[in-house]
Amino acid sequence: MTGTTVTGKHYIGRFAPSPTGPLHFGSLLAAVASYLRARERGGDWLVRIEDVDPPREQPGAGDEIVRALEAYGFEWDGDVVWQSVSRPEHDTAGATLLRERMAYPCGCSRRDLADAPRSALGIIYPGTCRQGCDAEETAIRVRTTDDPVGFKDLLQGRQSQRLESESGDFIVLRRDGLIAYHLAVVVDDYLQGITEIVRGIDLMDSTPRQIWLQQLLGYPTPDYLHIPVATHPDGDKLSKLTGAKAIPMHGKRRVLAAAFDALMLRPPADLAANSVSDLWAWAFNNWQIEPLVMRTAVPVDADAMAKLQNPVS
Ligand SMILES: [Zn+2]
């Protein structure tokens, strides 16, 4: 254990769920992987609840996630951080982008953009308001270019996007006054000194936009490690079967062992017979990222699946 990153900084990782629902198996995998990785690196592991989108949130879900993490034996460093607390810093960053003309007000409504071209990332903003806009209610969009924005993911290899063609200028402050996810996450990772981000592969295509914001704001870019999505043995996404169902509070040890198995740590068949702290001790000793390299999906075996759907202590 070195406690430092390749560039010599103290390792700080995080798990940053949105409180749109309880902790489910997919988010548990991201929590487990980021936790084990931080322990492997001898670093800190922070928990941040990304509560900046109240319309999408479920009342009480943030507290419920924290309680579930506690029950599953996670030990985080410092207090849980609620992202809404750093709203003043999000606004400062937005104001900097505007002042430096790296961003501009956009009055386009959803209807105005109905005919805009689309890519895998969603609507490609056609740049309508780049030269100015006199609408009263506006969002703030950040300017993009077509220079490739790339990074080397520690699991998935080289990734790159041309933002102007693939997403167009994107929103950092919404018309309804809420801060957009990309800006909030970038500012908070910077404020917390995060050196490496371990999260689900479903967020990988948003990474170039976040790196672009880091570059514009003069923040360092952390390392990235995007873990594969868990699937049913037949390839169906697990979320389709288990939905956003909360991980159970009974049968925790079996679910935790299933998570280790999904992360390809090959837990012994009787591992779940041990205590939660013994399970973690086993995982600290057996964690490695190599089996996950270049994998975009990992099947959860049928047995573990059954335990997940019908957990017994
Ligand atoms: Zn516009």
Side-chain angles (χ1 to χ4, degrees):
M1 292 211 279
T2 62
T4 55
T5 63
V6 276
T7 50
K9 277 186 287 189
H10 178 66
Y11 182 104
I12 305 178
R14 48 63 155 191
F15 174 57
S18 299
T20 49
L23 195 68
H24 54 83
F25 192 71
S27 44
L28 177 68
L29 288 189
V32 169
S34 61
Y35 184 43
L36 292 177
R37 176 74 176 165
R39 283 297 187 99
E40 173 206 343
R41 307 292 303 160
D44 290 344
W45 185 68
L46 313 181
V47 173
R48 183 174 82 220
I49 304 293
E50 307 216 308
D51 59 335
V52 289
D53 194 355
R56 287 187 57 231
E57 285 158 21
Q58 204 182 83
D63 289 319
E64 206 182 319
I65 289 170
V66 173
R67 276 197 302 272
L69 290 172
E70 209 158 26
Y72 270 75
F74 289 90
E75 291 176 1
W76 51 90
D77 294 286
D79 293 331
V80 170
V81 168
W82 297 77
Q83 187 168 44
S84 53
V85 170
S86 39
R87 178 61 201 253
E89 284 83 1
H90 301 156
D91 283 332
T92 303
T96 301
L97 294 171
L98 268 177
R99 193 181 57 239
E100 304 292 328
R101 301 196 178 282
M102 297 185 283
Y104 59 87
C106 163
C108 298
S109 66
R110 213 175 277 259
R111 205 179 322 122
D112 293 332
L113 296 173
D115 297 327
R118 302 184 73 93
S119 73
L121 303 180
I123 280 178
I124 304 169
Y125 182 67
T128 322
C129 302
R130 268 189 172 182
Q131 309 309 329
C133 139
D134 49 17
E136 232 159 71
E137 269 195 2
T138 59
I140 303 296
R141 280 185 193 271
V142 69
R143 288 180 203 277
T144 55
T145 72
D146 251 345
D147 295 336
V149 179
F151 65 103
K152 189 170 180 287
D153 190 83
L154 293 168
L155 287 182
Q156 309 296 338
R158 190 87 213 153
Q159 309 293 323
S160 175
Q161 281 173 3
R162 294 179 188 274
L163 294 178
E164 192 174 4
S165 313
E166 294 184 54
S167 72
D169 301 345
F170 59 91
I171 289 177
V172 288
L173 187 71
R174 288 162 32 173
R175 243 151 67 104
D176 58 9
L178 293 175
I179 203 81
Y181 164 71
H182 296 304
L183 184 61
V185 82
V186 158
V187 169
D188 280 37
D189 285 335
Y190 170 70
L191 290 175
Q192 294 187 290
I194 304 298
T195 61
E196 186 179 274
I197 294 174
V198 179
R199 60 185 180 187
I201 198 166
D202 52 315
L203 288 166
M204 192 160 73
D205 67 8
S206 67
T207 305
R209 277 170 284 178
Q210 292 168 17
I211 291 175
W212 180 240
L213 288 175
Q214 289 156 4
Q215 291 174 351
L216 294 179
L217 291 164
Y219 300 163
T221 290
D223 293 328
Y224 287 93
L225 198 155
H226 286 94
I227 63 163
V229 66
T231 62
H232 197 250
D234 63 15
D236 262 355
K237 230 173 146 175
L238 201 60
S239 57
K240 263 203 212 160
L241 289 138
T242 57
K245 228 165 80 174
I247 50 169
M249 287 300 122
H250 296 285
K252 289 191 287 279
R253 295 170 300 163
R254 283 167 182 257
V255 175
L256 206 49
F260 297 161
D261 185 62
L263 292 167
M264 306 190 71
L265 304 184
R266 306 195 181 291
D270 59 351
L271 185 67
N274 298 287
S275 68
V276 166
S277 62
D278 285 343
L279 263 107
W280 280 116
W282 179 88
F284 294 148
N285 285 323
N286 289 276
W287 161 252
Q288 48 173 335
I289 63 168
E290 285 72 21
L292 299 174
V293 170
M294 298 309 278
R295 274 184 187 271
T296 56
V298 279
V300 176
D301 73 56
D303 225 32
M305 216 30 240
K307 285 163 191 161
L308 200 58
Q309 287 171 326
N310 193 13
V312 195
S313 223

